[in-house]
Amino acid sequence: MRDAYHEELDSIGDGLVEMARLVGSAIGRATTAMLDADLKLAENVIAADQRVDDLQHDLEAKAIALLARQQPVATDLRIVVTSLRMSADLERSGDLAQHVAKLARLRFPDRAVPHDLHATILEMGQLAQRLMAKAAEVIITKDVDLAMQLEQDDDEMDLLHRTLFQHLMDEKWKHGIETAVDVTLLGRYYERFADHAVSVAKRVVYLVTGEHADEVQQPTAVEGGV
Amino acid sequence: MRDAYHEELDSIGDGLVEMARLVGSAIGRATTAMLDADLKLAENVIAADQRVDDLQHDLEAKAIALLARQQPVATDLRIVVTSLRMSADLERSGDLAQHVAKLARLRFPDRAVPHDLHATILEMGQLAQRLMAKAAEVIITKDVDLAMQLEQDDDEMDLLHRTLFQHLMDEKWKHGIETAVDVTLLGRYYERFADHAVSVAKRVVYLVTGEHADEVQQPTAVEGGV
């Protein structure tokens, strides 16, 4: 039988997994809302982010209470502190999914994404959702190899991001400035969402190995390079 | 005489102030590099971010060591946990300043910002730098009124951000798509930088009052709304 202390630690882990599942679902639904110009779905995603914020607050309160009462050291201390960081990543991911949904709402009944970019944005949304699903799995399984895989998936996101920019920079771009601005922001939202999923996975690697994943492998990024 | 424990706590606070000063300086210099198309200055800003990252690592190591050895409770525990979050905000602000500098480097010898937006971008850069200077002052003084002021300053940033978008959406926009994309990203970098400065100040409010600043006053944001 597990003691109360370890039950509390487990419950923090459960909270993280639930947050990851919610934001993974949110980015998928936000993408659909965007591509289908589905206002109701967009509104749902926007409203649902409150649940993610509430979970983060609960999780932080639990973590701080546990630090105060149980005064964990060594590995357990690292778990609690790292959980706080993961919850910040996940909360921010929820915000980004919400931004996508808000853009869908802003442009309704129009579509923010022109037809010739539909496939790329769909891929970015699906990849973001898969990345977050894997991050949730990494939290559960603490599988370091799977965590490392996320960095490769993130390279794929960078590639999609570049494709998006190639479209934008193409002289044949005919969708005007407003759409260019929308697509630029969308690209950034997906890219940041993916970064946070990778960050969550890396933090698990840190918990398991005691080493920052950065020290093993440096991710590539187009951030600031576009 | 202060004991070793409180000296360690102080040294964490000093680290935060130093980080805030470095990233405040970085956003100012990155803006200058951008507006003047000064490659050398841009390179300096990009390289200097390493120092911010190092400070964050040091600060985290100190905070975790302090949690393990001293097992603070109540207020002291809150200070340590909140410091970890502030250092994450500041590290991210440094990244954003670096993104501005990288954009300056990417467009060199051209200027990423067209003449008619020069004044607006300059204002955004200066405001971002002032916000971070105030955030540093809030860390030092724990002045809740000053912390609340940052939210008003952030409204000013939102206004500048809107001005930027009005320029972009103006039918008379004649700078093409690439510049529109650059300006969109720049606007986002400054806005996020300001958000992090506000977040740092809010966390100080939380430390002093035990209440999240959000519960007192809700910030306005154009995030996802453009």
Side-chain angles (χ1 to χ4, degrees):
Chain A
M1 215 181 91
R2 309 222 71 185
D3 56 24
Y5 171 52
H6 284 96
E7 271 174 19
E8 280 178 68
L9 262 186
D10 286 350
S11 119
I12 289 175
D14 292 347
L16 289 172
V17 172
E18 195 182 345
M19 284 181 80
R21 288 197 168 136
L22 286 172
V23 301
S25 163
I27 197 75
R29 286 180 299 131
T31 306
T32 303
M34 166 79 60
L35 295 175
D36 296 352
D38 183 336
L39 182 61
K40 203 170 163 191
L41 187 58
E43 296 279 13
N44 283 344
V45 175
I46 292 163
D49 192 51
Q50 187 58 50
R51 172 83 185 120
V52 176
D53 293 348
D54 290 346
L55 274 170
Q56 195 205 7
H57 272 114
D58 286 358
L59 201 148
E60 289 192 349
K62 268 186 205 164
I64 290 172
L66 198 141
L67 285 174
R69 266 184 296 115
Q70 309 281 4
Q71 311 201 321
V73 291
T75 306
D76 287 351
L77 173 59
R78 222 159 57 179
I79 291 175
V80 177
V81 170
T82 306
S83 298
L84 285 170
R85 288 187 194 133
M86 290 202 255
S87 79
D89 277 314
L90 294 167
E91 190 272 332
R92 184 73 202 138
S93 304
D95 288 349
L96 291 162
Q98 200 187 35
H99 290 348
V100 173
K102 281 185 177 170
L103 191 57
R105 181 173 68 180
L106 184 72
R107 296 298 171 225
F108 181 84
D110 292 331
R111 287 175 163 79
V113 176
H115 284 300
D116 51 346
L117 283 177
H118 188 108
T120 306
I121 293 289
L122 178 63
E123 268 196 80
M124 290 181 95
Q126 289 184 342
L127 181 58
Q129 192 171 359
R130 281 203 307 281
L131 270 160
M132 198 50 87
K134 282 192 192 173
E137 203 182 323
V138 169
I139 299 171
I140 297 167
T141 60
K142 300 185 179 51
D143 181 337
V144 171
D145 291 333
L146 183 62
M148 289 304 187
Q149 251 186 51
L150 267 89
E151 302 219 9
Q152 264 109 63
D153 294 338
D154 193 38
D155 291 345
E156 210 183 308
M157 183 63 91
D158 290 340
L159 219 62
L160 286 166
H161 201 196
R162 268 187 218 117
T163 306
L164 208 62
F165 276 98
Q166 277 159 10
H167 274 276
L168 280 167
M169 298 307 177
D170 192 320
E171 283 177 17
K172 283 173 301 209
W173 177 265
K174 55 181 187 294
H175 307 293
I177 298 291
E178 184 179 276
T179 302
V181 169
D182 287 350
V183 167
T184 301
L185 288 173
L186 270 181
R188 178 110 188 121
Y189 298 153
Y190 287 114
E191 190 212 9
R192 291 295 301 151
F193 187 99
D195 286 344
H196 287 293
V198 172
S199 166
V200 166
K202 275 186 183 171
R203 295 189 200 282
V204 175
V205 173
Y206 169 68
L207 279 184
V208 174
T209 66
E211 302 228 323
H212 287 285
D214 275 348
E215 288 152 19
V216 187
Q217 190 183 358
Q218 195 69 34
T220 59
V222 294
E223 281 208 332
V226 286
Chain B
M1 218 182 88
R2 308 220 73 186
D3 56 25
Y5 170 53
H6 284 97
E7 271 174 20
E8 280 178 68
L9 262 185
D10 286 350
S11 119
I12 290 176
D14 293 345
L16 288 172
V17 172
E18 194 181 345
M19 284 181 80
R21 287 198 169 138
L22 287 172
V23 302
S25 163
I27 197 74
R29 285 180 301 133
T31 305
T32 304
M34 166 80 61
L35 295 174
D36 297 353
D38 183 335
L39 181 62
K40 204 170 163 191
L41 187 58
E43 296 279 13
N44 283 343
V45 174
I46 293 162
D49 192 51
Q50 187 58 49
R51 171 84 186 122
V52 176
D53 294 348
D54 291 345
L55 274 170
Q56 195 205 8
H57 271 114
D58 286 358
L59 200 147
E60 289 191 349
K62 267 186 206 163
I64 290 172
L66 198 141
L67 285 174
R69 265 184 296 115
Q70 310 280 3
Q71 311 202 322
V73 292
T75 306
D76 287 351
L77 172 59
R78 224 159 56 180
I79 291 175
V80 176
V81 170
T82 305
S83 299
L84 284 170
R85 289 188 191 129
M86 291 202 255
S87 79
D89 278 313
L90 294 168
E91 189 273 332
R92 185 73 202 137
S93 304
D95 287 348
L96 291 162
Q98 200 187 36
H99 289 350
V100 173
K102 280 184 178 172
L103 192 57
R105 181 173 68 180
L106 184 70
R107 295 300 169 222
F108 181 84
D110 292 331
R111 288 176 163 77
V113 176
H115 284 300
D116 52 347
L117 284 177
H118 187 109
T120 306
I121 293 290
L122 179 64
E123 267 195 81
M124 290 181 94
Q126 289 184 342
L127 181 58
Q129 191 170 0
R130 279 204 307 279
L131 271 160
M132 198 49 86
K134 281 192 192 171
E137 203 180 325
V138 168
I139 299 171
I140 298 168
T141 61
K142 300 184 179 51
D143 181 337
V144 171
D145 292 332
L146 183 61
M148 290 303 189
Q149 251 187 50
L150 267 88
E151 301 219 11
Q152 264 111 61
D153 294 337
D154 193 38
D155 291 345
E156 209 183 309
M157 184 64 90
D158 289 341
L159 219 62
L160 286 166
H161 201 196
R162 269 186 216 116
T163 306
L164 208 61
F165 276 98
Q166 277 159 11
H167 273 276
L168 280 167
M169 299 305 178
D170 192 319
E171 283 177 18
K172 284 174 299 205
W173 177 265
K174 56 183 187 294
H175 307 294
I177 298 290
E178 184 179 277
T179 301
V181 168
D182 287 350
V183 167
T184 302
L185 288 174
L186 270 181
R188 179 107 188 123
Y189 298 152
Y190 287 114
E191 190 211 9
R192 290 296 301 152
F193 187 98
D195 286 345
H196 286 293
V198 172
S199 166
V200 166
K202 275 187 182 172
R203 295 188 199 283
V204 175
V205 173
Y206 169 68
L207 279 183
V208 174
T209 66
E211 303 227 325
H212 287 285
D214 273 350
E215 286 152 20
V216 187
Q217 189 184 358
Q218 195 70 32
T220 59
V222 294
E223 279 209 334
V226 284

